[in-house]
Every structure is written in C-alpha cells, then in structure tokens.
Amino acid sequence: MALRKTKATSVDIAHRAGVSQATVSRVLRGSPLVNAETRKRVLDAVQELNYKVDRRASSLRTQRAGTLALLLFEDPTEDESNINPFFLSMLGSITRACARHHHDLLVSFQQLSDDWHADYEDSMKADGLILLGYGDYVDYRPKLERLVEQGTHFVRWGAVLPDQPGVSIGCDNFAGGRLVGEHLIGLGRRSIAFLGDASSHYPEFHARYRGCELVQREAGIAEEPALQVDALSSEEEGYEAAKALLGRGVLFDAVFAASDLIAIGAIRALLEHGLRVPEDVAVVGFDDIAMSRFCNPPLTTVYQDTAHAGELLVETLLKLVNGHAAQSQMLPAKLVVRRSSGA
Amino acid sequence: MALRKTKATSVDIAHRAGVSQATVSRVLRGSPLVNAETRKRVLDAVQELNYKVDRRASSLRTQRAGTLALLLFEDPTEDESNINPFFLSMLGSITRACARHHHDLLVSFQQLSDDWHADYEDSMKADGLILLGYGDYVDYRPKLERLVEQGTHFVRWGAVLPDQPGVSIGCDNFAGGRLVGEHLIGLGRRSIAFLGDASSHYPEFHARYRGCELVQREAGIAEEPALQVDALSSEEEGYEAAKALLGRGVLFDAVFAASDLIAIGAIRALLEHGLRVPEDVAVVGFDDIAMSRFCNPPLTTVYQDTAHAGELLVETLLKLVNGHAAQSQMLPAKLVVRRSSGA
DNA sequence: CTGAAAGCGCTTACAG
DNA sequence: CTGAAAGCGCTTACAG
C-alpha cells in the first residue's frame, strides 16, 4: 500500500477532545443534547485531525446507506460511446439533485437483459434505485414486477401508464404528440409520417404517436398505416426509417420523429433524396437535446425539463425510502419551434 | 418504513446450511480451504434465500470499498444541463471500465471551487478518485498537490505535463495540434486563427495551439498574435470569439478551434457574417463529439479514443490503489476529416 | 477443513 | 448533558 498517515477515527477525536467516543458521534450527528462548549472542543479536534466520519460504519449501524443508485440501461445493440444524449442530460440533473439532498449517487450502465433487479439494494449499497433507459417495455415490465414484489425502493423514468408496477415519472408524451400535431396541421401540413416504434413495446413513442394521431383525426385526416415506420432512438435507425418511408412511395409533407436522434437521421436521408427541409418536408423531433439546436436546419422539437425531472425523481425516491407514499407524475411537454418545421 | 422481508445475513445462511458463519464467509470469498460438499450446501442456501453479502460490512472489515469515485467538475458559470458532451462520453466509458473491473462508481459533479479534495476517499466511500473536467490549471494545481500530500489515490484526465502532481492520462494534444496544422497547410491555408485560451491556465488548449503553431513555423509562416482569441469550451464562447476575431479585421482562411463546441459556435458566427465554410474559411475542431458529425457542415476534428481512455484511467487508478507504481500516459490523437475543412 | 472469537468504526438505547 | 456497552454484518488470524 502507498504510505499514508492512517485515518483519524472518532476515538482519536474523543481522545483529543477529552470526551467519550459516544459524545463525538453525537456532535457529528447534530444531536441537541450536547453542551455547547463540549461541542466546540469536539469540532475543533475534528478540524485539526481533518476527521471525516466513516460512512460505511455509520451506514452499517443505521441501516441507511445515504446513497442512491442510478441504473442506466440500453439496448445491447447500442455502441458503447453512443449513449442517448437525453439520458446523459438526465444524469447530470440527477447527480445534482442527489447532491442537494445529501446523497451519493452510484452509477451503473446495464443491459436490459442483465439481472439488475435489486442487486444494488440487496447488497445494501444503495437505499433505492433510479431506473433510466429505453428498452422494450414488454420485457421490462416483469422485471419491474419483481422489484415491487421484493419491496425494492425504486422510481423509473418513462411512460406513466395505468396499472403500472411501481412509481414512474415521465413526460406527458401524449400531450407532446398533440402539440406536434397541432403545430404541423396549423402550418398546413396534411400528411404526417411518424418515425418510431408505435407499439406497446415502446409506450413513450406510442403515446407521442397517439397524441399526434388524435389531432389529425380531429382535423378530418384519415389514418394511413403506411406513414408509420418503426425505429428506435438513434441517428442510424432514423436514417433507415426515412429511407424505408421514401421507398414506400406514399406521399408526405411532414415527419414527426419519435426522438431528436431519429429526426436528425431522417433529415440526412431526406436531403440525400433531394428533398428540402422544411420546404418539401417539415420535420419535428422530441427531447430537445443540445444537438437539435446545432444541426441543419435547427430542429423543431418537444422540450422535456430534465432539471426538474431529476429533482422529482430523487425527491420521489427519497419519499419511498423514508416509508412514505409517492405518486407517479407527468411533466408538461413544451414545443420548441426552430427552422425544420418551416414555421 | 415500507414493508419488506428483512434481508438474509450470513448467519441465516450458516444456519440453513448447518455450518458456521465463518465458513459461509469463506465460501463467498472463494477461499480454497472449504470442502467441496460444504461449499455446495452453502451456495444452495445462498441461492434459496437470495442472499447478497453486505458490502458495507465487508468493506468496513477489509478496509477496501470496491468503489471508485468520479469527480466531474466544471466552471461555475456553466449552465446546469450544459455538460460538455466529451466528458459525458468519458463518463460512459469509465462506468463500463469500472464494471469490467468489478468496482462501483460513485459520480459527483463539483465546481472547481469546491472543497472536493479527498472528501470521498476520506469518508472511506471510495478507494480512489478519477478527476475529470476543464478548469483553470493554475487554480487546479495546488489542489492536486494537496491530494498528493494526503496520500490520496487519484488519476486525472487532462494535460500530461512534466513535474505534475500525481498521475495524469491525457490525449497527445500537441500531436493533435500538429495534425491539424499539417492538414490545413496541406490544403493551402496560410492564415490559421486559433480560438481557445492558449495560456498555461489551460494546458490542453495550449498544447493544441503550440502543435499547430510549430507546423506553421516550419512552413515559414510568421506567428500572428491577433489570430488567437481566448475561449473556453462552449458554443457561446466559440461564437463570441469568432465575432471578436472578425472584429479585429485580420485576414484568415482557416480556424482551428480548441474544441468542437467552440468550432460549432464559430461556424455560426462565420456564416452569419456571410462567409462560407469551408470555401472562405476552413474550420477544424477537437474532441470528435457526436454532434460534430451532424452539424453543418460536418466538422473536421481530432478524435480522442474515449473508450480506451476510460479503461486506462480505471486500470491506472486500480494500480495505485493496490500500492503499485503507475505512470502518466498520453493517448494518440487522430484526425477525422469531414467537410468543414474543405479537403 | 472448520469453528469460536476479535474487531472494523460507527450509533443509540440505557443508566446516571 | 455524558459515558459504558451492545451490536450492525462481515473477515480473518488463531486453534484445533
């Protein structure tokens, strides 16, 4: 081992301050039943020896880790470095929310196929779990059920559905879809293609689709199944989906992509095909990742307040950890208009 | 507290398997001195009770946390959600490297001004620290010195300098700068502006600058101080720096931006000013963030292998934690040519 | 190969 | 207001 002065313990502090170790602990825990002067002596010693309480020991004793775990999972096919920027931004906000609530954050990337249910909480490293990631909900759901069964404390980010196991926080995807539909219809577009899996396997995408669909129906536009092409959230899949759409020979004057990454890939395919965006085809995405401001043309999209989402996720989980009830909740969606929709 | 069956402990397992608690521990630690049949009985019990060893207790006993901490710090001015995408991609690769080495990762965002030195290791929550972030090196260096003094185990990502406190892993920024210079000169550009702080406060940017400078000098081009404008790594600062450059009235036919974010902001300013990229001005960035593929025009830049960097960071830190010597190391830079440089 | 026992560094009733 | 003591769940010399 590298040389280092061995760490001070509460016993060292007690010795130096001339009190018992128990008193040191009381001072550090902020107990009111300590004489002011005693407290000062202890605090001085803490300062001098640069003492920090050993969180493992205190956690072992109190049975509270003071730590939350974030499980970020992705489809196994995804490239290593290719994490969805949206989740990365969530990660930033969750980290900060944890700090505000004086908790540490353990981060782990997982594959949906992994046996992640409860590992962290079971080994007592974390008091609760935050689940974040895209993945097939049909595979996902039974895992959530097991988590509930085991009494694991967790919150997930994602679609907020009725009869869902556990507590979820998510964007109001349906309202977001409506916003997009209204925007596009308002701009005179009549044939809106949807790029993204619109089945119950991906309920977030599905809700976005339905929201937009409803607006079209209200406007008297008949549903056209050929205008929907499956895609998961990546530039590549967006590109391929747009190609496939083009190959079908159906006419369309707008594309609603289920995510910004899909939209960016779709724009590339459209331009390659000699179409102009937004003149020939208006394009709208979802997420408002940083890139959507800088791509060409800048992308009209739906903004989700990640800062608020992170705070809400942490707050909600902490409620659960402390034995209180907590509700699933939806965050409002907001349309951000940029050049790609031709407004 | 929420209801949940209380967790099984090693005592429960011992009871069920009809052995002592010590034997359970031996089996779980993989000790060779356990009879095969005994081992099986224990493992079966572990399975049945879904037992997981309490890492806090084992860590308290062994004095090893099995956890690494990642301290991501930024300038306090930065917007919450606006984390440099390059660091986010490093974070992904570090997380995975930790998993491969069976360690957990504690993540924390800090401000450079915070008193982050050693908090984590001092409270025994982590065995070592990974330091990641841009910041003024002149402010940063004394903190590194304190870390070394305290015997804290850490590795940082950043400039690899002689006489530097501690161990650093970084990209060969000087070679990267050379690559950019050679590319641009080879394309016939003669006046290369540099956007980025080129002082010892930001040694990574500085090395990139000097690498490019050297190539120009070798090509017989005199240094022109008016062609350098300070900027930290953000789109906004890139935009402002390019504006400032334009305002100076010096002629230039190329821009070397110290980071992709700066380059993207610079392109926006150049286009607004009626210049064409790359026809009038070739632009090259640094980092190869995902966005650089999708911006318009796609950005020529210098790629740093983040996947490898993460692995190296974790490996090196683990060496240190285990009491072995470890070296600072530089990763090769690689030029990625796209449209913005007009090649 | 296995068990009994000490101890890692805390927190918190229990007495006083 | 303070101290002595038990105990959180492990690991690992020490005996046998």
Side-chain angles (χ1 to χ4, degrees):
Chain A
M1 282 297 276
L3 282 190
R4 52 186 314 185
K5 334 168 191 88
T6 56
K7 299 235 138 77
T9 70
S10 56
V11 174
D12 301 325
I13 303 298
H15 191 76
R16 187 171 191 111
V19 297
S20 74
Q21 184 269 331
T23 297
V24 172
S25 183
R26 284 198 193 90
V27 170
L28 264 8
R29 299 252 87 197
S31 162
L33 7 113
V34 179
N35 174 33
E37 199 187 305
T38 313
R39 179 189 310 278
K40 185 175 177 336
R41 279 219 308 287
V42 170
L43 258 14
D44 286 348
V46 164
Q47 188 88 117
E48 283 162 43
L49 298 187
N50 191 234
Y51 168 75
K52 297 267 159 46
V53 354
D54 186 326
R55 299 272 250 101
R56 296 168 311 189
S58 70
S59 155
L60 181 57
R61 187 52 239 242
T62 58
Q63 298 296 70
R64 280 286 240 99
T67 301
L68 267 20
L70 174 62
L71 267 40
L72 238 166
F73 48 86
E74 316 153 54
D75 274 319
T77 53
E78 294 274 324
D79 169 9
E80 286 247 335
S81 61
N82 210 6
I83 304 153
N84 193 320
F86 175 73
F87 291 130
L88 254 13
S89 130
M90 286 290 281
L91 188 151
S93 94
I94 290 170
T95 318
R96 287 177 229 261
C98 278
R100 272 196 298 278
H101 291 273
H102 307 291
H103 276 247
D104 291 317
L105 216 225
L106 231 27
V107 175
S108 170
F109 283 60
Q110 316 255 332
Q111 318 243 284
L112 192 48
S113 56
D114 288 352
D115 192 35
W116 47 265
H117 27 268
D119 233 44
Y120 277 86
E121 201 180 327
D122 278 355
S123 53
M124 304 298 312
K125 289 182 299 192
D127 300 312
L129 265 33
I130 298 176
L131 269 25
L132 198 60
Y134 274 131
D136 189 326
Y137 186 70
V138 173
D139 295 345
Y140 191 24
R141 195 189 154 102
K143 306 206 177 203
L144 296 181
E145 274 160 2
R146 254 204 79 189
L147 242 31
V148 171
E149 227 168 74
Q150 291 171 151
T152 301
H153 303 117
F154 74 95
V155 204
R156 64 180 279 272
W157 172 261
V160 177
L161 268 24
D163 307 319
Q164 199 167 35
V167 176
S168 298
I169 308 286
C171 175
D172 190 340
N173 293 293
F174 185 82
R178 281 204 64 121
L179 250 26
V180 173
E182 284 159 7
H183 178 65
L184 256 13
I185 298 281
L187 257 21
R189 308 286 170 160
R190 295 286 122 182
S191 304
I192 307 177
F194 182 82
L195 267 31
D197 192 306
S199 74
S200 59
H201 288 259
Y202 293 86
E204 295 184 84
F205 285 8
H206 189 48
R208 292 169 196 179
Y209 176 71
R210 286 185 302 105
C212 186
E213 251 303 298
L214 180 62
V215 175
Q216 294 176 74
R217 207 149 351 129
E218 286 169 357
I221 301 172
E223 184 163 359
E224 169 55 65
L227 283 175
Q228 185 271 324
V229 187
D230 282 351
L232 298 183
S233 189
S234 76
E235 206 267 341
E236 290 70 22
E237 299 220 9
Y239 178 82
E240 294 304 335
K243 282 276 205 208
L245 178 66
L246 259 5
R248 288 185 187 170
V250 271
L251 291 177
F252 60 95
D253 53 13
V255 165
F256 174 21
S259 81
D260 287 349
L261 249 23
I262 294 175
I264 289 169
I267 289 176
R268 182 158 65 91
L270 294 171
L271 297 178
E272 263 183 37
H273 201 260
L275 292 165
R276 291 166 306 160
V277 176
E279 292 81 355
D280 300 320
V281 181
V283 176
V284 179
F286 208 105
D287 286 345
D288 196 23
I289 61 177
M291 211 182 285
S292 62
R293 259 204 318 283
F294 304 126
C295 64
N296 195 270
L299 194 62
T300 293
T301 185
V302 177
Y303 170 75
Q304 314 183 55
D305 187 346
T306 53
H308 185 196
E311 174 63 28
L312 206 55
L313 247 10
V314 170
E315 250 174 35
T316 305
L317 181 53
L318 254 17
K319 271 188 203 163
L320 255 19
V321 168
N322 292 321
H324 302 127
Q327 298 290 319
S328 288
Q329 234 173 304
M330 283 205 288
L331 261 36
K334 211 182 92 190
L335 189 74
V336 179
V337 178
R338 299 203 185 91
R339 275 227 320 280
S340 71
S341 59
Chain B
M1 282 297 275
L3 279 191
R4 52 185 313 182
K5 332 166 192 89
T6 57
K7 298 239 137 82
T9 71
S10 56
V11 174
D12 301 325
I13 304 298
H15 191 76
R16 186 169 192 115
V19 297
S20 74
Q21 183 270 332
T23 297
V24 173
S25 183
R26 284 196 193 91
V27 170
L28 263 9
R29 297 252 89 196
S31 162
L33 6 115
V34 180
N35 176 31
E37 199 189 305
T38 312
R39 178 188 311 278
K40 186 174 177 333
R41 277 219 310 287
V42 170
L43 258 16
D44 286 349
V46 163
Q47 189 86 120
E48 283 162 43
L49 298 187
N50 190 235
Y51 168 73
K52 297 267 161 49
V53 354
D54 187 326
R55 299 271 251 101
R56 298 168 310 188
S58 71
S59 157
L60 181 56
R61 187 52 240 240
T62 59
Q63 300 294 66
R64 280 285 239 100
T67 301
L68 267 22
L70 173 61
L71 266 41
L72 239 166
F73 48 86
E74 316 152 53
D75 274 319
T77 51
E78 295 274 326
D79 169 9
E80 287 249 333
S81 63
N82 209 6
I83 304 154
N84 192 321
F86 175 74
F87 291 130
L88 254 13
S89 130
M90 286 289 283
L91 189 152
S93 93
I94 291 171
T95 317
R96 287 177 228 261
C98 279
R100 273 196 296 279
H101 291 274
H102 306 291
H103 276 247
D104 291 316
L105 216 224
L106 231 28
V107 174
S108 169
F109 284 59
Q110 316 257 333
Q111 317 242 283
L112 192 48
S113 56
D114 287 352
D115 192 36
W116 47 266
H117 26 267
D119 232 43
Y120 277 87
E121 201 180 326
D122 279 354
S123 54
M124 304 299 312
K125 287 181 300 191
D127 300 312
L129 265 33
I130 298 176
L131 268 26
L132 198 60
Y134 274 131
D136 189 326
Y137 186 69
V138 172
D139 294 344
Y140 191 24
R141 196 192 153 102
K143 305 206 178 202
L144 296 180
E145 274 159 3
R146 254 203 79 187
L147 243 31
V148 171
E149 225 168 74
Q150 291 172 152
T152 301
H153 303 117
F154 74 95
V155 203
R156 64 181 279 271
W157 172 262
V160 177
L161 270 22
D163 307 319
Q164 201 166 32
V167 175
S168 298
I169 308 286
C171 174
D172 190 340
N173 293 294
F174 185 82
R178 280 205 65 120
L179 250 28
V180 173
E182 284 158 6
H183 178 65
L184 255 12
I185 297 282
L187 256 20
R189 308 286 169 159
R190 296 286 119 182
S191 305
I192 307 175
F194 183 83
L195 266 30
D197 191 306
S199 74
S200 59
H201 287 257
Y202 293 85
E204 297 184 83
F205 284 8
H206 190 48
R208 292 168 195 180
Y209 176 73
R210 286 186 302 105
C212 186
E213 251 303 298
L214 180 61
V215 175
Q216 295 177 72
R217 206 148 353 130
E218 286 169 357
I221 300 173
E223 186 164 359
E224 169 55 66
L227 284 174
Q228 185 271 323
V229 186
D230 283 351
L232 299 183
S233 189
S234 76
E235 206 265 342
E236 290 70 22
E237 298 220 9
Y239 178 81
E240 293 304 335
K243 282 276 204 206
L245 177 66
L246 258 6
R248 286 184 189 171
V250 271
L251 291 177
F252 61 94
D253 54 13
V255 165
F256 175 20
S259 80
D260 287 350
L261 250 21
I262 294 175
I264 289 168
I267 289 176
R268 182 158 63 92
L270 294 171
L271 296 179
E272 263 184 36
H273 200 259
L275 292 165
R276 291 166 308 159
V277 177
E279 293 80 355
D280 301 319
V281 180
V283 177
V284 179
F286 209 105
D287 286 344
D288 196 22
I289 60 178
M291 210 183 284
S292 63
R293 261 206 314 287
F294 305 126
C295 64
N296 197 269
L299 195 61
T300 294
T301 185
V302 178
Y303 169 74
Q304 312 183 56
D305 187 345
T306 52
H308 185 197
E311 174 63 28
L312 205 55
L313 246 11
V314 170
E315 251 174 36
T316 305
L317 181 53
L318 253 17
K319 272 189 203 163
L320 256 19
V321 167
N322 292 320
H324 302 127
Q327 297 289 319
S328 287
Q329 236 172 302
M330 283 205 288
L331 260 36
K334 212 182 90 191
L335 189 73
V336 179
V337 178
R338 299 203 184 91
R339 276 225 323 277
S340 70
S341 58

